[in-house]
């Protein structure tokens, strides 16, 4: 048995940040357990490798969600990264923080220190914003992760933006600045044509420190308790048939396994809703009804149009053209292999009367077979996706068995809330206008999916049921909330309620969905948690004008 000051389960977005910050003093001993392998695979680092890692069991847990009414009874893929960097090693590279109201909402729910003014300094400290016009009130310049602008330009993207502008949606130079609303090319965590995951930005630079130990192929199977105190972690070295090992934490055990695996590990270790644990035959060490509840995700239907008189990524990714693109990437780090899956973002309202921008749209001059993002269509195509930014639908993650290698039940209950369906429908109507706007007409041949025969609300909801997918933003399953909230799992210091020596630091703690893809917020919250764990004062809140 070995002893460390801190044992971190999971080397994903949050775990990588923590590993770096907690070992920074050169004295504290830190052990990180990662179930997956090292992140050596080239397709992790080549941006277009996204399509490969999305379906590769070596680096992806390849979960699926349970069928539900509004997915038309389909199971939806729920990929999660399983390698150093976790989901930041297989994600779509987008950097998007969300809106001021998201974090003010967290604070208003009684989570002290989590308002926008409090979290903004932590967003800034994660990033090295590579843009000439970055506003220092909002953007950081010397953090671990480079945030770059997409340089790609093509006639379809330019026409799409022009069409949005003609619809009254303004261009926005920085959707991570003062205002999110508008249309713009995406900001990405890519530098010199290569992905910069949390592992590349935070973990690898720290791995030369002697006080940091990183174990790959180390699947945590149980937490070890002494009464109400977490004192260590049991793991299997080498996976299911591997060697059992125990590591002890002198100070804290920190769970950073992500929104699916963290609640599962808690539940099979005896922390969670008592009826569930009993049904699994797990001894209840500490009852906490909220563990695994409050799951939320973004659900996105897509419109696909066939393109004429312009080239799309689809044609460039087949046959000899692809060979040329591979050579181009090898020599210049440019071309389609340097692209992330979506190129343009729009943030807008479902209704002018709505106070806060509740819709997100993505555009890309490419399309996918059956809408699944791992295979491009054979015809020239372009795609727009849209989703409700702050879904009300709530689901759960529940262990199916006490066996740590059995995938848990993931039920996001997509679109169960009427409000989500209403906003989704409004979004689909705007999306169709955006992809067939006057400036795009010269390239627009016809709508391939769902097809212009789909006009009524029922038709559109049928299309959403047929091909809607996750946008990969599972969160909320170990919710941060005040004690008065029966679903509270952690307090605002991210300590598991009622236990000692145990924190959760990952996407599970988010009380509500930010109006964003999640990686930026996870990095932010891990930086903030590192200060809490080290007993350092929080970074000074930013004074913002109303
Ligand atoms: C395909 C995909 C695309 C996405 N695209 C974007 C995007 O473009 N922009 C964006 O902002 N967000 C995106 N996201 C979301 C974002 O990347 C995640 O929300 C974020 O990375 C989650 O961070 P985390 O630390 O909570 O968990 P993760 O990064 O998933 O890390 C969890 C880690 O814990 C390990 N682990 C789990 N269980 C155990 C165990 N029992 N023992 C040991 N190790 C364990 C896992 O293997 C993993 O490495 C995407 C996600 C996915 C999956």
């Amino acid at each position: 048995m070995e002893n460390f000051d801190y044992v971190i389960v999971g080397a994903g977005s949050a775990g990588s940040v923590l590993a770096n910050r907690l070992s920074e003093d050169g004295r504290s001993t830190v052990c990180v357990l990662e179930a997956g392998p090292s992140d050596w695979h080239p397709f992790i680092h080549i941006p277009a490798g996204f399509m490969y890692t999305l379906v590769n069991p070596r680096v992806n847990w390849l979960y699926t969600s349970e069928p539900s009414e509004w997915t038309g009874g389909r199971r939806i893929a729920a990929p999660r990264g399983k390698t150093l960097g976790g989901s930041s090693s297989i994600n779509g590279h987008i950097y998007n923080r969300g809106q001021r109201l998201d974090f003010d909402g967290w604070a208003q729910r009684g989570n002290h220190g989590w308002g926008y003014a409090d979290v903004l300094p932590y967003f800034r400290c994660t990033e090295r914003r590579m843009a000439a016009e970055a506003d220092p009130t909002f953007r950081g310049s010397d953090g671990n992760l480079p945030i770059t602008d997409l340089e790609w330009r093509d006639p379809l993207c330019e026409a799409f933006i022009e069409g949005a502008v003609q619809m009254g949606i303004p261009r926005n130079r920085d959707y991570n600045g003062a205002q999110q609303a508008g249309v713009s090319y995406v900001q990405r965590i890519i530098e010199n044509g290569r992905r910069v995951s949390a592992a590349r930005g935070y973990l690898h630079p720290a791995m030369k420190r002697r006080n940091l130990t990183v174990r790959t192929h180390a699947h945590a199977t149980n937490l070890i308790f002494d009464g109400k105190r977490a004192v260590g972690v049991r793991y299997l070295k080498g996976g299911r048939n591997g060697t059992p090992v125990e590591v002890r934490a002198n100070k804290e055990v920190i769970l950073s396994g992500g929104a699916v695996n963290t609640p599962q590990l808690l539940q099979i270790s005896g922390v969670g809703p008592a009826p569930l644990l009993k049904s699994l035959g797990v001894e209840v060490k500490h009852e906490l009804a909220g563990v695994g509840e409050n799951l939320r995700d973004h659900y996105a239907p897509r419109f696909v149009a066939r393109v004429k008189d312009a080239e799309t990524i689809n044609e460039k990714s087949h046959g000899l053209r692809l060979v040329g693109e591979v050579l181009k990437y090898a020599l210049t780090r440019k071309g389609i292999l340097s692209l992330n899956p979506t190129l343009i973002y729009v943030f807008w309202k479902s209704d002018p009367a709505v106070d806060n921008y509740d819709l997100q749209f993505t555009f890309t001059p490419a399309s996918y077979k059956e809408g699944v993002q791992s295979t491009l269509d054979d015809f020239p195509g372009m795609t727009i996706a849209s989703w409700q930014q702050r879904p009300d639908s709530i689901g759960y993650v529940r262990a199916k068995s006490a066996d740590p290698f059995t995938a848990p039940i993931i039920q996001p209950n997509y679109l169960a809330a009427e409000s989500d369906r209403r906003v989704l429908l409004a979004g689909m109507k705007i999306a169709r206008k955006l992809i067939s706007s006057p400036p795009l007409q010269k390239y627009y041949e016809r709508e391939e999916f769902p097809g212009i025969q789909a006009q009524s609300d029922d038709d559109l909801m049928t299309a959403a049921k047929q091909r809607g997918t996750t946008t990969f933003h599972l969160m909320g399953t170990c919710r941060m909330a005040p004690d008065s909230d029966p679903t509270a799992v952690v307090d605002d210091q991210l300590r598991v309620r009622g236990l000692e020596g145990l924190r959760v630091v990952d996407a599970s703690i988010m009380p509500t969905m930010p109006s964003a893809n999640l990686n930026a917020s996870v990095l932010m919250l891990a930086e903030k948690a590192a200060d809490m764990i080290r007993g350092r004062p929080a970074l000074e809140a930013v004074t913002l004008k109303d």
Side-chain angles (χ1 to χ4, degrees):
M1 200 194 318
E2 293 168 287
N3 278 274
F4 297 88
D5 290 327
Y6 302 105
V7 176
I8 301 169
V9 177
S13 296
S16 296
V17 174
L18 290 174
N20 184 314
R21 293 294 177 230
L22 299 183
S23 63
E24 202 168 46
D25 62 11
R27 294 186 309 276
S28 305
T29 52
V30 180
C31 174
V32 185
L33 304 176
E34 169 52 51
S38 179
D39 57 343
W40 64 270
H41 202 291
F43 283 164
I44 292 175
H45 308 289
I46 300 170
F50 171 85
M51 293 176 69
Y52 168 86
T53 55
L54 200 57
V55 290
N56 187 321
R58 292 172 63 109
V59 296
N60 189 328
W61 293 84
L62 292 183
Y63 292 131
T64 53
S65 60
E66 295 298 302
S68 65
E69 178 183 358
W70 297 99
T71 64
R74 288 176 304 138
R75 290 181 182 277
I76 307 268
R80 303 276 90 198
K82 186 182 183 182
T83 178
L84 297 183
S87 297
S88 78
S89 287
I90 69 160
N91 75 9
H93 310 78
I94 296 296
Y95 186 78
N96 178 18
R97 294 176 178 176
Q99 300 174 17
R100 182 172 176 171
L101 75 108
D102 299 323
F103 306 99
D104 286 344
W106 290 10
Q108 280 154 14
R109 288 169 170 270
N111 300 302
H112 181 72
W114 290 91
Y116 184 62
D118 305 304
V119 301
L120 182 52
Y122 287 100
F123 274 119
R124 285 192 312 215
C125 83
T126 60
E127 71 168 351
R128 186 159 42 88
R129 173 72 177 129
M130 317 274 275
E133 297 172 14
D135 177 348
T137 305
F138 297 96
R139 307 308 304 258
S141 54
D142 54 6
N144 290 49
L145 296 170
I147 313 298
T148 55
D149 288 319
L150 178 73
E151 288 169 6
W152 178 272
R153 297 292 179 268
D154 70 29
L156 289 165
C157 289
E158 292 288 298
F160 177 87
I161 291 180
E162 186 50 35
V165 171
Q166 286 185 13
M167 281 171 62
I169 301 174
R171 289 173 199 265
N172 184 351
R173 284 218 175 116
D174 186 1
Y175 59 80
N176 291 306
Q179 285 296 331
Q180 189 188 47
V183 56
S184 62
Y185 286 99
V186 295
Q187 295 175 23
R188 324 179 304 160
I189 318 188
I190 290 178
E191 191 170 27
N192 301 325
R194 312 252 307 165
R195 176 194 293 278
V196 187
S197 66
R200 289 285 138 189
Y202 281 91
L203 189 64
H204 287 287
M207 277 168 74
K208 48 185 175 301
R209 295 179 192 150
R210 296 182 58 181
N211 55 328
L212 174 62
T213 302
V214 178
R215 304 241 157 102
T216 50
H217 300 287
H219 190 128
T221 55
N222 277 105
L223 304 179
I224 305 169
F225 289 98
D226 179 2
K228 290 283 180 187
R229 185 173 183 83
V231 293
V233 180
R234 241 173 246 122
Y235 70 93
L236 282 174
K237 186 178 163 190
R240 181 183 273 283
N241 299 314
T243 317
V245 183
E246 281 186 18
V247 277
R248 294 273 165 163
N250 302 330
K251 292 185 175 166
E252 291 196 26
V253 173
I254 303 153
L255 304 184
S256 298
V260 174
N261 291 34
T262 288
Q264 180 196 22
L265 182 58
L266 280 167
Q267 291 165 359
I268 62 178
S269 301
V271 180
L276 172 70
L277 307 193
K278 286 178 188 158
S279 74
L280 300 171
V282 171
E283 182 198 342
V284 181
K285 301 247 171 54
H286 181 65
E287 179 163 14
L288 258 186
V291 174
E293 301 302 306
N294 189 44
L295 175 68
R296 298 179 204 227
D297 192 13
H298 288 132
Y299 186 77
R302 292 181 166 77
F303 286 87
V304 176
R306 188 178 281 257
V307 169
K308 61 180 184 187
D309 300 331
E311 251 191 349
T312 72
I313 293 171
N314 296 5
E315 302 89 270
K316 293 184 181 163
S317 65
H318 288 101
L320 277 180
R321 300 291 305 278
L322 180 59
V323 177
E325 288 293 335
V326 171
L327 280 174
K328 185 191 282 181
Y329 182 78
L331 295 172
T332 66
R333 295 266 186 270
K334 293 195 186 326
I336 62 168
L337 270 67
S338 71
L339 292 180
N340 50 299
T342 52
L343 306 191
I344 295 175
Y345 266 15
V346 177
F347 301 96
W348 204 237
K349 292 181 180 186
S350 59
D351 185 306
V354 167
D355 279 346
N356 298 305
Y357 295 85
D358 54 356
L359 282 169
Q360 183 170 344
F361 302 85
T362 63
F363 174 78
T364 195
S367 62
Y368 305 95
K369 285 203 164 95
E370 305 290 319
V372 179
Q373 278 176 301
S374 51
T375 323
L376 289 161
D377 278 319
D378 300 322
F379 59 82
M382 55 184 173
T383 306
I384 186 166
S386 57
W387 61 88
Q388 141 76 311
Q389 298 226 75
R390 297 176 293 276
D392 292 322
S393 305
I394 291 176
Y396 52 84
V397 169
R398 292 180 190 151
K400 205 185 282 178
S401 143
D403 170 18
F405 293 91
T406 301
I409 296 167
I410 303 171
Q411 176 50 280
N413 283 326
Y414 292 118
L415 306 182
E418 191 278 331
S419 53
D420 291 351
R421 299 198 293 277
R422 184 167 28 84
V423 177
L424 187 99
L425 261 179
M428 290 180 80
K429 290 172 188 171
I430 297 171
R432 183 177 253 164
K433 284 189 188 149
L434 281 165
I435 202 173
S436 58
S437 69
L440 267 173
Q441 276 301 321
K442 56 179 178 285
Y443 307 119
Y444 178 95
E445 191 169 328
R446 65 169 181 268
E447 189 174 290
E448 283 286 334
F449 185 83
I452 43 123
Q453 76 288 349
Q455 288 296 332
S456 68
D457 288 1
D458 282 350
D459 293 340
L460 293 177
M461 283 316 290
T462 301
K465 280 182 175 178
Q466 282 171 337
R467 288 222 191 147
T469 60
T470 173
T471 60
F472 317 114
H473 303 150
L474 299 167
M475 46 66 65
T477 47
C478 294
R479 182 185 223 170
M480 169 173 66
D483 210 12
S484 53
D485 183 334
T487 64
V489 174
V490 298
D491 66 11
D492 54 24
Q493 300 289 302
L494 309 190
R495 296 172 295 214
V496 176
R497 289 193 170 278
L499 293 172
E500 288 165 31
L502 186 62
R503 287 190 218 233
V504 176
V505 181
D506 62 25
S508 331
I509 67 98
M510 296 183 181
T512 53
M513 179 72 90
S515 316
N517 318 51
L518 293 190
N519 196 33
S521 301
V522 174
L523 299 164
M524 170 280 286
L525 70 86
E527 284 275 13
K528 189 165 165 59
D531 275 350
M532 293 172 178
I533 296 166
R534 296 170 77 182
R536 289 165 32 132
L539 296 178
E540 195 176 334
V542 176
T543 308
L544 290 160
K545 294 188 202 101
D546 280 333

